[in-house]
Amino acid sequence: MSGAASRTMHEDGKPPRQQIFIVDDDDAQRDSLVWLLESHGYAVRPFSSAKDFLAFWDGDSAGCLLLDVRMPGMSGLELFEELTRRHSTLPVILITGHGDVAMAVATLKKGAEDFIEKPFSAEEMLKVVRNCLERESEEREYRRTRADTAHRLAQLTAREHEVLELIIAGKLNKQIADVLNISIKTVEVHRARVMEKMGVSTMASLIRRVVSADL
């Protein structure tokens, strides 16, 4: 996969296709997972070691990572910790043995998305993956919208920022005019420019966009 294909948005404006990355040194289990997931329409990219995955990973891939906890060389947990150090946003599903549950729970508290215990059924795996991909898609869209909102906010003038803050506070045009000591007509001009720069057509959309982005 090229770097361009894994970016947050393609050049045509469409989100990148999610991929399921599998890192597992067990050939039989890895092949079984590839078959299961591909047979249900998922794009899958398998790796036999953490080292191979890190050599490929570009830091901005959509989808999720199925990661076996116990592997020779760099373990699954060590790979997870390395990805955390690199500020990866790729959600991680840990594949654990019976004795690893406590460790998996501790890793969830550090940011792992989920874990599944061996032996697992096909239905269990598909459910965990499906839920993870849905959450990843929602989170990726939130990050995209937040970045776009931040970019638009940066285009506002100081006065437009003041008007926006008062709009968010629920002030009417007359109240904004009184607070800023400007005419209502001037408030209306600033308000129109704010909405244009923020890419919205209604006050409700403006407020929702700024508030939901938590900026």
Side-chain angles (χ1 to χ4, degrees):
M1 181 181 65
S2 70
S6 67
R7 295 190 186 115
T8 303
M9 294 292 287
H10 285 303
E11 291 181 0
D12 60 7
K14 296 180 180 179
R17 184 183 183 189
Q18 290 177 312
Q19 289 193 95
I20 301 172
F21 303 95
I22 301 172
V23 180
D24 194 332
D25 67 303
D26 186 322
D27 293 342
Q29 178 169 276
R30 190 175 65 252
D31 291 345
S32 177
L33 284 171
V34 170
W35 178 87
L36 170 66
L37 295 167
E38 286 187 340
S39 68
H40 283 78
Y42 294 110
V44 183
R45 176 83 64 162
F47 299 88
S48 60
S49 71
K51 181 180 178 181
D52 288 346
F53 174 76
L54 283 176
F56 167 85
W57 180 73
D58 67 1
D60 194 24
S61 300
C64 69
L65 169 61
L66 278 171
L67 179 59
D68 194 270
V69 168
R70 297 190 179 276
M71 294 187 295
M74 178 181 282
S75 71
L77 292 182
E78 288 172 332
L79 174 56
F80 171 78
E81 291 170 355
E82 177 61 25
L83 291 173
T84 300
R85 279 194 292 272
R86 298 188 187 189
H87 307 290
S88 169
T89 59
L90 190 67
V92 175
I93 300 171
L94 301 172
I95 301 175
T96 70
H98 178 68
D100 299 325
V101 173
M103 177 175 56
V105 171
T107 308
L108 289 182
K109 295 178 181 178
K110 296 179 181 179
E113 181 69 27
D114 207 341
F115 74 92
I116 187 167
E117 187 179 358
K118 295 185 259 186
F120 48 79
S121 67
E123 290 74 17
E124 287 176 310
M125 175 58 73
L126 289 170
K127 180 180 179 180
V128 168
V129 166
R130 182 172 59 253
N131 290 341
C132 181
L133 291 179
E134 287 175 355
R135 291 191 293 268
E136 191 271 343
S137 180
E138 292 170 356
E139 177 61 25
R140 184 158 29 85
E141 176 60 20
Y142 169 74
R143 291 196 303 271
R144 187 198 68 77
T145 302
R146 193 172 192 273
D148 181 63
T149 301
H151 174 74
R152 290 176 179 276
L153 285 171
Q155 310 308 309
L156 301 183
T157 65
R159 178 63 86 188
E160 287 165 354
H161 269 289
E162 291 176 329
V163 171
L164 175 58
E165 289 173 2
L166 292 169
I167 291 173
I168 300 300
K171 303 295 184 182
L172 301 176
N173 283 359
K174 184 179 184 307
Q175 294 171 310
I176 296 174
D178 290 341
V179 171
L180 299 180
N181 195 29
I182 57 179
S183 70
I184 294 178
K185 183 64 176 179
T186 301
V187 172
E188 292 173 349
V189 171
H190 286 311
R191 193 168 183 144
R193 288 175 178 168
V194 167
M195 293 180 67
E196 179 182 359
K197 290 182 179 180
M198 295 305 297
V200 297
S201 58
T202 67
M203 280 297 110
S205 297
L206 174 65
I207 294 170
R208 185 165 54 247
R209 175 160 199 162
V210 176
V211 172
S212 63
D214 194 26
L215 295 169

